[in-house]
């Protein structure tokens, strides 16, 4: 899969500093929370205030805290392993997923989801000192557990990070009939490592679920200003889609807008048609599909049938 120049791949995050309630007197915990020095992110797990406060950072802090607290052999898995591996999630929940060698634990917190059986050594790795499932195993587990969009976001990113498609296909063949395997197989069928963000995946997912032809990702477009790379589209019909997030122009709005305008004009002059997609468009998928279908041959769009396996 070609990548546009300057594109980046998912990278593991830096583990945060966490404080465990078990390590200090209860009064000290209360005092530091009251003084807004600490913030609770999970059962018995606190982080210093002033740091990141997003759901993903909190999920990582819970993983670090749980790893320090549990005594039985543990391997973090599913979306928790995805966080450790730096893979994006469509939704970041408050539950930490683990495989645990022993079930004899007094910690029955609803914040922990335990899975069985314990993975074989080949499915395990260590990230910043924390045991977790490997890239391929994590992608498969997420595809099996999550709804199709969430699974596709993780698998797309895993492929982009270097997951082996042949390994994932072998896992699909080995798990036919098991819970979640049908969902995972559908996700693998449409996974594409060319998506550079969860929102690009969501854009492609919207098209796929509606029954449109499978779009190509990372399309090179030769123009008078040089070669540009479009997020996705159909080269055979010279139709492109670009996902425009707010961060694209953050801090340099005027300059970035002018650059994007010149890029857009050059692409149109090269006889391509292009649709710019935003989050608002993805909230109204029917309208987006109508816009896209209007640019594709009628023979392709007449009688569209939604792909039920992606619902």
């Amino acid at each position: 899969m070609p990548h546009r120049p300057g594109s980046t791949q998912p990278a593991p995050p830096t583990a945060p500093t966490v404080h465990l309630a078990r390590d200090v007197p209860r009064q000290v915990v209360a005092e530091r929370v009251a003084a807004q020095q600490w913030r609770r992110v999970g059962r018995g797990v606190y982080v210093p205030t002033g740091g990141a406060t997003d759901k993903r950072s909190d999920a990582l802090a819970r993983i670090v805290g749980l790893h320090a607290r549990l005594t039985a052999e543990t391997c973090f898995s599913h979306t928790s392993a995805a966080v450790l591996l730096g893979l994006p999630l469509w939704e970041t929940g408050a539950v930490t997923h683990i495989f645990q060698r022993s079930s004899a634990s007094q910690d029955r917190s609803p914040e922990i989801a335990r899975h069985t059986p314990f993975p074989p050594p080949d499915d395990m790795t260590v990230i910043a000192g924390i045991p977790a499932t490997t890239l391929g195993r994590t992608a498969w587990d997420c595809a099996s557990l999550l709804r199709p969009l969430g699974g596709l976001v993780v698998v797309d990113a895993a492929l982009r990070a270097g997951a082996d498609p042949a390994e994932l296909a072998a896992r699909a063949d080995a798990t036919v009939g098991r819970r979640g395997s049908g969902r995972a197989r559908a996700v693998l069928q449409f996974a594409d490592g060319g998506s550079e963000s969860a929102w690009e995946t969501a854009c492609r997912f919207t098209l796929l679920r509606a029954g449109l032809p499978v779009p190509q990702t990372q399309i090179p477009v030769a123009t008078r200003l040089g070669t540009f790379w479009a997020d996705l589209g159909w080269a055979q019909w010279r139709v492109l889609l670009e996902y425009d997030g707010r961060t694209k122009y953050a801090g340099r709005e005027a300059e970035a807008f002018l650059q994007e305008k010149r890029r857009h004009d050059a692409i149109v002059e090269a006889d391509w048609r292009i649709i710019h997609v935003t989050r608002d468009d993805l909230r109204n998928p029917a309208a987006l599909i109508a816009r896209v279908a209007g640019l594709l041959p009628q023979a392709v769009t007449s009688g569209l049938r939604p792909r039920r396996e992606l619902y």
Side-chain angles (χ1 to χ4, degrees):
M1 169 58 59
H3 296 305
R4 72 181 80 199
S7 65
T8 59
Q9 295 186 3
T14 300
T17 298
V18 302
H19 302 285
L20 301 182
R22 70 172 190 188
D23 296 335
V24 294
R26 184 178 302 178
Q27 182 180 352
V28 172
V29 174
E31 290 173 351
R32 293 184 180 176
V33 170
Q36 297 186 350
Q37 296 175 338
W38 287 4
R39 181 173 61 85
R40 184 184 183 278
V41 296
R43 183 177 179 182
V45 182
Y46 297 81
V47 295
T49 56
T53 58
D54 59 283
K55 291 182 179 180
R56 190 177 182 89
S57 297
D58 288 354
L60 182 58
R62 286 191 292 271
I63 292 169
V64 173
L66 187 59
H67 174 60
R69 194 169 79 235
L70 294 178
T71 56
E73 184 180 359
T74 300
C75 179
F76 289 85
S77 66
H78 297 76
T79 54
S80 299
V83 169
L84 287 169
L85 289 163
L87 303 178
L89 296 173
W90 185 244
E91 295 179 327
T92 303
V95 174
T96 302
H97 293 265
I98 62 171
F99 289 104
Q100 195 168 15
R101 183 72 72 179
S102 171
S103 60
S105 172
Q106 297 301 315
D107 192 339
R108 298 300 178 187
S109 169
E111 296 179 358
I112 304 172
R114 290 178 168 84
H115 301 271
T116 57
F118 203 80
D122 287 349
D123 282 353
M124 296 175 60
T125 187
V126 177
I127 305 168
I130 299 176
T133 48
T134 58
L135 187 63
R137 176 62 187 265
T138 300
W140 175 258
D141 284 343
C142 287
S144 302
L145 175 72
L146 303 175
R147 293 181 62 83
L149 174 54
L152 189 62
V153 165
V154 174
V155 178
D156 276 1
L159 290 173
R160 184 170 179 77
D164 184 358
E167 176 195 339
L168 295 176
R171 291 184 186 278
D173 291 340
T175 55
V176 174
R178 296 184 188 176
R179 183 177 181 182
S181 64
R183 180 189 303 116
R185 292 166 71 89
V187 167
L188 293 186
Q189 178 183 355
F190 298 108
D192 188 324
S195 285
E196 293 187 333
S197 72
W199 287 98
E200 287 184 24
T201 293
C203 181
R204 196 175 87 258
F205 178 84
T206 300
L207 307 176
L208 290 169
R209 190 165 68 167
L212 288 172
V214 177
Q216 176 187 344
T217 61
Q218 301 302 317
I219 301 175
V221 181
T223 76
R224 62 180 173 79
L225 297 179
T227 298
F228 295 113
W229 293 73
D231 293 335
L232 68 155
W234 299 271
Q236 66 269 45
W237 300 308
R238 301 184 79 80
V239 173
L240 305 172
L241 280 81
E242 283 277 280
Y243 178 76
D244 292 337
R246 293 182 180 179
T247 57
K248 186 173 184 177
Y249 304 108
R252 55 186 187 95
E253 287 83 355
E255 176 187 355
F257 178 80
L258 290 175
Q259 290 179 353
E260 185 61 29
K261 179 66 167 62
R262 294 182 70 232
R263 177 180 182 272
H264 174 89
D265 290 348
I267 290 174
V268 172
E269 289 168 11
D271 197 28
W272 290 79
R273 291 168 294 173
I274 184 168
I275 291 177
H276 291 271
V277 182
T278 67
R279 293 189 184 188
D280 288 339
D281 293 314
L282 296 182
R283 295 186 181 104
N284 187 2
L288 175 60
I289 295 302
R291 289 171 61 199
V292 175
L295 300 182
L296 299 179
Q298 186 175 2
V300 172
T301 59
S302 60
L304 281 181
R305 294 185 178 180
R307 291 183 171 92
R308 293 299 176 188
E309 66 269 33
L310 295 180
Y311 278 81

